[in-house]
Amino acid sequence: MKKITVHFVKADGEIISAEASEGDNLLTVAQIHDQPLEGTCEGQMACSTCHVIVEATDFDKLPEATEMEEDMLDLAAGARRTSRLACQITLTADLDGLTVHLPVESHNMQIV
């Protein structure tokens, strides 16, 4: 299975690079690497607590968001044109080097 590198850019500009496998879910990868994405609904697309802002150069590599995801993004604080829900991003070889920004509003209540 191909290894994929993902870069998480925190609100303070710190970059955390994580290694994942093709087929992994971005939310799960973020949580494994202690990134502040809560994912309250556990990937059921019933919240927007895994909202990320995808780097513009990577955004077009993703499949289009569903209408349901768009509806959830409407509720996300700080949403932008390249916003997506991390729970809806499955890593593929084309996404190797993916860079996502964690919104300033991100805070994982599960991390003390």
Side-chain angles (χ1 to χ4, degrees), residues 24-40:
D24 284 351
N25 178 276
L26 184 61
L27 174 59
T28 303
V29 173
Q31 290 174 334
I32 288 169
H33 290 86
D34 297 323
Q35 297 309 295
L37 295 180
E38 192 169 347
T40 302

PDB file of all heavy atoms in Angstrom, residues 24-40:
ATOM      1  N   ASP A  24      -6.668   5.748   3.739  1.00  0.00           N
ATOM      2  CA  ASP A  24      -6.949   6.283   5.072  1.00  0.00           C
ATOM      3  C   ASP A  24      -7.856   7.506   4.967  1.00  0.00           C
ATOM      4  O   ASP A  24      -7.842   8.226   3.970  1.00  0.00           O
ATOM      5  CB  ASP A  24      -5.661   6.700   5.795  1.00  0.00           C
ATOM      6  CG  ASP A  24      -4.867   5.523   6.330  1.00  0.00           C
ATOM      7  OD1 ASP A  24      -5.379   4.382   6.310  1.00  0.00           O
ATOM      8  OD2 ASP A  24      -3.713   5.747   6.762  1.00  0.00           O
ATOM      9  N   ASN A  25      -8.594   7.732   6.027  1.00  0.00           N
ATOM     10  CA  ASN A  25      -9.473   8.895   6.126  1.00  0.00           C
ATOM     11  C   ASN A  25      -8.689  10.038   6.769  1.00  0.00           C
ATOM     12  O   ASN A  25      -7.997   9.828   7.770  1.00  0.00           O
ATOM     13  CB  ASN A  25     -10.691   8.509   6.976  1.00  0.00           C
ATOM     14  CG  ASN A  25     -11.631   9.648   7.185  1.00  0.00           C
ATOM     15  OD1 ASN A  25     -11.429  10.453   8.078  1.00  0.00           O
ATOM     16  ND2 ASN A  25     -12.662   9.712   6.362  1.00  0.00           N
ATOM     17  N   LEU A  26      -8.807  11.250   6.216  1.00  0.00           N
ATOM     18  CA  LEU A  26      -8.029  12.389   6.713  1.00  0.00           C
ATOM     19  C   LEU A  26      -8.340  12.707   8.169  1.00  0.00           C
ATOM     20  O   LEU A  26      -7.436  13.047   8.931  1.00  0.00           O
ATOM     21  CB  LEU A  26      -8.266  13.618   5.832  1.00  0.00           C
ATOM     22  CG  LEU A  26      -7.427  14.845   6.191  1.00  0.00           C
ATOM     23  CD1 LEU A  26      -5.938  14.564   6.066  1.00  0.00           C
ATOM     24  CD2 LEU A  26      -7.822  16.019   5.309  1.00  0.00           C
ATOM     25  N   LEU A  27      -9.588  12.592   8.596  1.00  0.00           N
ATOM     26  CA  LEU A  27      -9.927  12.864   9.999  1.00  0.00           C
ATOM     27  C   LEU A  27      -9.183  11.914  10.923  1.00  0.00           C
ATOM     28  O   LEU A  27      -8.604  12.332  11.927  1.00  0.00           O
ATOM     29  CB  LEU A  27     -11.438  12.761  10.219  1.00  0.00           C
ATOM     30  CG  LEU A  27     -11.902  12.882  11.677  1.00  0.00           C
ATOM     31  CD1 LEU A  27     -11.475  14.203  12.294  1.00  0.00           C
ATOM     32  CD2 LEU A  27     -13.407  12.690  11.769  1.00  0.00           C
ATOM     33  N   THR A  28      -9.171  10.646  10.576  1.00  0.00           N
ATOM     34  CA  THR A  28      -8.486   9.650  11.401  1.00  0.00           C
ATOM     35  C   THR A  28      -6.993   9.942  11.469  1.00  0.00           C
ATOM     36  O   THR A  28      -6.389   9.879  12.546  1.00  0.00           O
ATOM     37  CB  THR A  28      -8.731   8.235  10.836  1.00  0.00           C
ATOM     38  OG1 THR A  28     -10.144   8.012  10.782  1.00  0.00           O
ATOM     39  CG2 THR A  28      -8.072   7.169  11.691  1.00  0.00           C
ATOM     40  N   VAL A  29      -6.402  10.293  10.346  1.00  0.00           N
ATOM     41  CA  VAL A  29      -4.971  10.630  10.312  1.00  0.00           C
ATOM     42  C   VAL A  29      -4.698  11.832  11.215  1.00  0.00           C
ATOM     43  O   VAL A  29      -3.744  11.835  11.997  1.00  0.00           O
ATOM     44  CB  VAL A  29      -4.494  10.905   8.866  1.00  0.00           C
ATOM     45  CG1 VAL A  29      -3.062  11.413   8.843  1.00  0.00           C
ATOM     46  CG2 VAL A  29      -4.642   9.653   8.018  1.00  0.00           C
ATOM     47  N   ALA A  30      -5.545  12.850  11.127  1.00  0.00           N
ATOM     48  CA  ALA A  30      -5.380  14.045  11.965  1.00  0.00           C
ATOM     49  C   ALA A  30      -5.448  13.685  13.445  1.00  0.00           C
ATOM     50  O   ALA A  30      -4.614  14.126  14.247  1.00  0.00           O
ATOM     51  CB  ALA A  30      -6.447  15.077  11.610  1.00  0.00           C
ATOM     52  N   GLN A  31      -6.416  12.871  13.812  1.00  0.00           N
ATOM     53  CA  GLN A  31      -6.582  12.508  15.220  1.00  0.00           C
ATOM     54  C   GLN A  31      -5.417  11.665  15.721  1.00  0.00           C
ATOM     55  O   GLN A  31      -4.943  11.865  16.838  1.00  0.00           O
ATOM     56  CB  GLN A  31      -7.913  11.787  15.421  1.00  0.00           C
ATOM     57  CG  GLN A  31      -9.091  12.731  15.254  1.00  0.00           C
ATOM     58  CD  GLN A  31     -10.429  12.033  15.296  1.00  0.00           C
ATOM     59  OE1 GLN A  31     -10.545  10.850  14.983  1.00  0.00           O
ATOM     60  NE2 GLN A  31     -11.459  12.764  15.679  1.00  0.00           N
ATOM     61  N   ILE A  32      -4.923  10.758  14.903  1.00  0.00           N
ATOM     62  CA  ILE A  32      -3.764   9.937  15.292  1.00  0.00           C
ATOM     63  C   ILE A  32      -2.553  10.822  15.571  1.00  0.00           C
ATOM     64  O   ILE A  32      -1.745  10.528  16.449  1.00  0.00           O
ATOM     65  CB  ILE A  32      -3.446   8.891  14.203  1.00  0.00           C
ATOM     66  CG1 ILE A  32      -4.520   7.802  14.196  1.00  0.00           C
ATOM     67  CG2 ILE A  32      -2.050   8.282  14.384  1.00  0.00           C
ATOM     68  CD1 ILE A  32      -4.451   6.857  13.005  1.00  0.00           C
ATOM     69  N   HIS A  33      -2.461  11.932  14.843  1.00  0.00           N
ATOM     70  CA  HIS A  33      -1.321  12.833  14.994  1.00  0.00           C
ATOM     71  C   HIS A  33      -1.658  14.042  15.878  1.00  0.00           C
ATOM     72  O   HIS A  33      -1.016  15.089  15.779  1.00  0.00           O
ATOM     73  CB  HIS A  33      -0.809  13.261  13.612  1.00  0.00           C
ATOM     74  CG  HIS A  33      -0.153  12.137  12.895  1.00  0.00           C
ATOM     75  ND1 HIS A  33      -0.848  11.225  12.120  1.00  0.00           N
ATOM     76  CD2 HIS A  33       1.132  11.724  12.883  1.00  0.00           C
ATOM     77  CE1 HIS A  33      -0.021  10.326  11.658  1.00  0.00           C
ATOM     78  NE2 HIS A  33       1.190  10.605  12.098  1.00  0.00           N
ATOM     79  N   ASP A  34      -2.654  13.883  16.747  1.00  0.00           N
ATOM     80  CA  ASP A  34      -3.017  14.878  17.766  1.00  0.00           C
ATOM     81  C   ASP A  34      -3.340  16.254  17.222  1.00  0.00           C
ATOM     82  O   ASP A  34      -3.036  17.272  17.853  1.00  0.00           O
ATOM     83  CB  ASP A  34      -1.924  14.979  18.841  1.00  0.00           C
ATOM     84  CG  ASP A  34      -1.755  13.682  19.604  1.00  0.00           C
ATOM     85  OD1 ASP A  34      -2.770  13.012  19.862  1.00  0.00           O
ATOM     86  OD2 ASP A  34      -0.603  13.329  19.936  1.00  0.00           O
ATOM     87  N   GLN A  35      -3.962  16.294  16.054  1.00  0.00           N
ATOM     88  CA  GLN A  35      -4.399  17.574  15.494  1.00  0.00           C
ATOM     89  C   GLN A  35      -5.790  17.905  16.054  1.00  0.00           C
ATOM     90  O   GLN A  35      -6.577  17.009  16.321  1.00  0.00           O
ATOM     91  CB  GLN A  35      -4.414  17.515  13.969  1.00  0.00           C
ATOM     92  CG  GLN A  35      -3.043  17.284  13.369  1.00  0.00           C
ATOM     93  CD  GLN A  35      -2.021  18.255  13.915  1.00  0.00           C
ATOM     94  OE1 GLN A  35      -2.116  19.452  13.692  1.00  0.00           O
ATOM     95  NE2 GLN A  35      -1.042  17.751  14.655  1.00  0.00           N
ATOM     96  N   PRO A  36      -6.085  19.191  16.241  1.00  0.00           N
ATOM     97  CA  PRO A  36      -7.320  19.592  16.924  1.00  0.00           C
ATOM     98  C   PRO A  36      -8.577  19.512  16.055  1.00  0.00           C
ATOM     99  O   PRO A  36      -9.287  20.490  15.845  1.00  0.00           O
ATOM    100  CB  PRO A  36      -7.024  21.030  17.345  1.00  0.00           C
ATOM    101  CG  PRO A  36      -6.106  21.537  16.287  1.00  0.00           C
ATOM    102  CD  PRO A  36      -5.248  20.345  15.919  1.00  0.00           C
ATOM    103  N   LEU A  37      -8.851  18.328  15.532  1.00  0.00           N
ATOM    104  CA  LEU A  37     -10.087  18.093  14.785  1.00  0.00           C
ATOM    105  C   LEU A  37     -10.910  17.096  15.587  1.00  0.00           C
ATOM    106  O   LEU A  37     -10.555  15.926  15.682  1.00  0.00           O
ATOM    107  CB  LEU A  37      -9.792  17.549  13.380  1.00  0.00           C
ATOM    108  CG  LEU A  37      -9.064  18.484  12.441  1.00  0.00           C
ATOM    109  CD1 LEU A  37      -8.838  17.805  11.097  1.00  0.00           C
ATOM    110  CD2 LEU A  37      -9.832  19.781  12.248  1.00  0.00           C
ATOM    111  N   GLU A  38     -11.984  17.583  16.162  1.00  0.00           N
ATOM    112  CA  GLU A  38     -12.757  16.764  17.083  1.00  0.00           C
ATOM    113  C   GLU A  38     -13.518  15.637  16.383  1.00  0.00           C
ATOM    114  O   GLU A  38     -13.513  14.507  16.839  1.00  0.00           O
ATOM    115  CB  GLU A  38     -13.724  17.655  17.852  1.00  0.00           C
ATOM    116  CG  GLU A  38     -14.360  16.963  19.010  1.00  0.00           C
ATOM    117  CD  GLU A  38     -15.098  17.920  19.918  1.00  0.00           C
ATOM    118  OE1 GLU A  38     -14.923  19.134  19.797  1.00  0.00           O
ATOM    119  OE2 GLU A  38     -15.860  17.414  20.740  1.00  0.00           O
ATOM    120  N   GLY A  39     -14.218  15.945  15.305  1.00  0.00           N
ATOM    121  CA  GLY A  39     -15.001  14.910  14.639  1.00  0.00           C
ATOM    122  C   GLY A  39     -16.081  14.359  15.553  1.00  0.00           C
ATOM    123  O   GLY A  39     -16.229  13.152  15.689  1.00  0.00           O
ATOM    124  N   THR A  40     -16.826  15.254  16.170  1.00  0.00           N
ATOM    125  CA  THR A  40     -17.832  14.885  17.160  1.00  0.00           C
ATOM    126  C   THR A  40     -18.773  13.795  16.676  1.00  0.00           C
ATOM    127  O   THR A  40     -19.131  12.892  17.418  1.00  0.00           O
ATOM    128  CB  THR A  40     -18.660  16.121  17.575  1.00  0.00           C
ATOM    129  OG1 THR A  40     -17.756  17.108  18.084  1.00  0.00           O
ATOM    130  CG2 THR A  40     -19.680  15.796  18.632  1.00  0.00           C
TER     131      THR A  40
END
